[in-house]
Amino acid sequence: MVISRLLRKNISPARIAGFILSNFIGLAIVLGGLIFYLDARSIWTAEDSFIRSDYLVINKKVTSENTLHGSSSFSSAEIADIKAQPWVRKAAPFTASAYRVRASLNQAGRGMSTAMFFESIPDEYVDVPKSQWTWREGSDEIPLIISKDYLTLYNFGFASAAGLPQMSEGLMSGIPLDITIYDEQEQRSVKLHGRVAGYSSRLNTILVPQNFMDWSNTLLAGHSGSSVNAAEAPSRLIIDVNSPGDVAITDYLEAHDYEVAGDKTAASASFLLKLVVGIVLAIGAIITVLSLFILMLSVSLLMEKNREKLHSLLMLGYPLSAVGAPYVRIVVFSSLGATILALGGALILRSAYLNPLRALGAETGAFWPVIATALILCALIILFNIVAVKRKVKTSWRITR
């Protein structure tokens, strides 16, 4: 207590307030940008529960020229060129069914039957629990992922015209589909039951597990003599990209006359969101670093003014920790104060945008990552300045010797 009273006479409240203000601004920008990103990202990333937002599905544009020449499929050279692009993590072809498919649905004594098709992609691209997305040879039940557009077409098209009741996604998932797959000559067929495991708003297709597609293509396409080389010349590719919405991706696709399936604005908006948040976080980080040096300079100047007192206390035998304790307390309390104010500012900002964001369909994120980030940054600032204080005190102690 005596040491604190002796050393705090030259403390400049204006310098300490300047650090708290600058540190508060920097941390508030960082924390505000972080919580906004966590809250807003679900608008673009939660549109499909089974396929990530950084997956793109591409195909060639269908024109009269490539239709006549049969060049709407990707060649092995084109696939290799796509995989070689710097924005591609990995890519895989869609495998199409080389046989015919018919599905029927019975409900309330009435039913419908339609021809359909199957496609598959490697299971690593499908974000569905393995227990729901699995098939074993000999099983007559296959999981399906269908386009939400198909359910909409049934509800507002076929069901209305045929007098059938409309169905929600949950109800549709619980109704078994009777599926028959058969070769082109109808010489061999297999009857199965379909179970809807998920819905896609980005893909207009019906997905089945890859191992089922391999088995059924070998069984039926091989029996009828049809081509089973769908993976060698696929018409569509799924690509895992580094940054969806990157300008380089758009330029490449346009240059090669490729199209992106599904909503093209979601990936661009997600990329723009990440870019803007990254810029905001960088600005906040720069201000925080500058405030760190402001505090370090203020403490250093304060200790320089009290250099003679420090020498005297050290000569009287006071330990280094006791001499540096008043400055450590300044660092700790000012840093904690700025952090608490920054967390309060982030909460105020969140309360201002939360309701409009929820109105857009966002699923808000948790606040604990923001608290954890604030505490980590505060701890780093405190640790950095405590080390600087100890070095300054040790320097003074060496001079007294």
Side-chain angles (χ1 to χ4, degrees):
M1 183 64 68
V2 176
I3 297 177
S4 298
R5 291 179 180 178
L6 182 65
L7 296 178
R8 72 184 181 185
K9 291 183 178 180
N10 291 323
I11 294 178
S12 174
R15 289 197 184 98
I16 303 302
F19 160 74
I20 294 176
L21 178 61
S22 58
N23 195 20
F24 157 71
I25 294 174
L27 287 175
I29 292 175
V30 171
L31 301 181
L34 178 60
I35 189 59
F36 179 77
Y37 173 74
L38 293 176
D39 288 334
R41 64 176 178 174
S42 64
I43 296 178
W44 295 281
T45 59
E47 61 177 21
D48 266 324
S49 60
F50 80 95
I51 185 169
R52 300 208 314 258
S53 61
D54 48 359
Y55 287 165
L56 297 181
V57 176
I58 66 169
N59 57 269
K60 290 185 176 181
K61 292 181 180 180
V62 178
T63 63
S64 57
E65 182 179 353
N66 62 29
T67 301
L68 291 174
H69 294 85
S71 58
S72 60
S73 299
F74 292 93
S75 65
S76 57
E78 290 171 329
I79 295 176
D81 183 63
I82 291 172
K83 291 182 177 180
Q85 299 305 308
W87 38 266
V88 174
R89 292 195 190 104
K90 56 185 179 180
F94 277 72
T95 304
S97 55
Y99 49 82
R100 297 183 180 182
V101 182
R102 178 160 291 276
S104 60
L105 172 66
N106 296 307
Q107 185 182 17
R110 306 184 68 177
M112 61 170 288
S113 179
T114 181
M116 56 191 297
F117 64 95
F118 287 155
E119 285 187 306
S120 68
I121 54 178
D123 292 345
E124 61 185 292
Y125 290 89
V126 181
D127 191 15
V128 171
K130 190 174 181 180
S131 59
Q132 299 181 22
W133 191 248
T134 183
W135 179 85
R136 294 180 180 178
E137 187 173 346
S139 173
D140 64 347
E141 183 182 80
I142 51 173
L144 308 172
I145 293 176
I146 68 174
S147 171
K148 289 184 178 180
D149 292 338
Y150 297 166
L151 183 59
T152 301
L153 183 62
Y154 167 81
N155 283 331
F156 301 102
F158 183 84
S160 300
L164 292 172
Q166 295 181 341
M167 290 186 292
S168 64
E169 292 182 6
L171 181 61
M172 181 67 182
S173 299
I175 298 177
L177 299 174
D178 294 325
I179 295 175
T180 303
I181 58 176
Y182 53 94
D183 57 27
E184 293 182 358
Q185 286 75 30
E186 299 187 14
Q187 296 177 356
R188 186 171 187 178
S189 64
V190 179
K191 292 185 177 181
L192 303 161
H193 297 289
R195 172 180 54 83
V196 179
Y199 297 88
S200 168
S201 59
R202 295 173 56 197
L203 296 178
N204 288 322
T205 190
I206 302 172
L207 287 183
V208 295
Q210 184 67 54
N211 61 340
F212 171 80
M213 180 63 76
D214 296 338
W215 171 81
S216 57
N217 267 346
T218 302
L219 177 67
L220 297 178
H223 180 267
S224 63
S226 302
S227 172
V228 293
N229 295 326
E232 296 180 8
S235 58
R236 297 202 292 176
L237 299 177
I238 183 169
I239 305 174
D240 183 4
V241 298
N242 295 318
S243 53
D246 192 349
V247 177
I249 301 177
T250 304
D251 293 342
Y252 180 85
L253 297 179
E254 290 180 353
H256 292 79
D257 288 330
Y258 297 155
E259 290 181 323
V260 178
D263 186 4
K264 303 174 182 63
T265 61
S268 299
S270 179
F271 176 76
L272 183 61
L273 173 67
K274 293 178 182 178
L275 180 63
V276 171
V277 170
I279 294 174
V280 170
L281 293 181
I283 294 174
I286 292 173
I287 296 176
T288 302
V289 171
L290 291 177
S291 67
L292 170 66
F293 285 103
I294 290 175
L295 177 62
M296 187 174 65
L297 180 62
S298 299
V299 172
S300 179
L301 290 174
L302 178 60
M303 296 180 71
E304 190 65 27
K305 289 183 178 180
N306 292 328
R307 183 174 58 181
E308 294 182 1
K309 296 177 182 178
L310 293 175
H311 291 174
S312 300
L313 291 172
L314 293 172
M315 290 296 293
L316 291 173
Y318 284 94
L320 297 178
S321 58
V323 174
Y327 305 106
V328 171
R329 283 195 289 270
I330 292 174
V331 169
V332 172
F333 288 122
S334 58
S335 299
L336 287 175
T339 302
I340 293 173
L341 290 174
L343 284 171
L347 283 173
I348 294 173
L349 174 65
R350 193 188 195 202
S351 64
Y353 71 72
L354 203 56
N355 288 334
L357 206 60
R358 284 174 175 169
L360 294 175
E363 297 180 3
T364 55
F367 195 71
W368 68 264
V370 179
I371 298 177
T373 302
L375 293 178
I376 291 173
L377 292 176
C378 180
L380 291 175
I381 292 172
I382 292 174
L383 180 62
F384 187 84
N385 279 280
I386 287 178
V387 171
V389 168
K390 288 184 176 181
R391 286 182 178 179
K392 189 71 175 178
V393 173
K394 286 182 179 179
T395 301
S396 301
W397 177 69
R398 293 192 186 100
I399 294 175
T400 58
R401 294 180 65 183

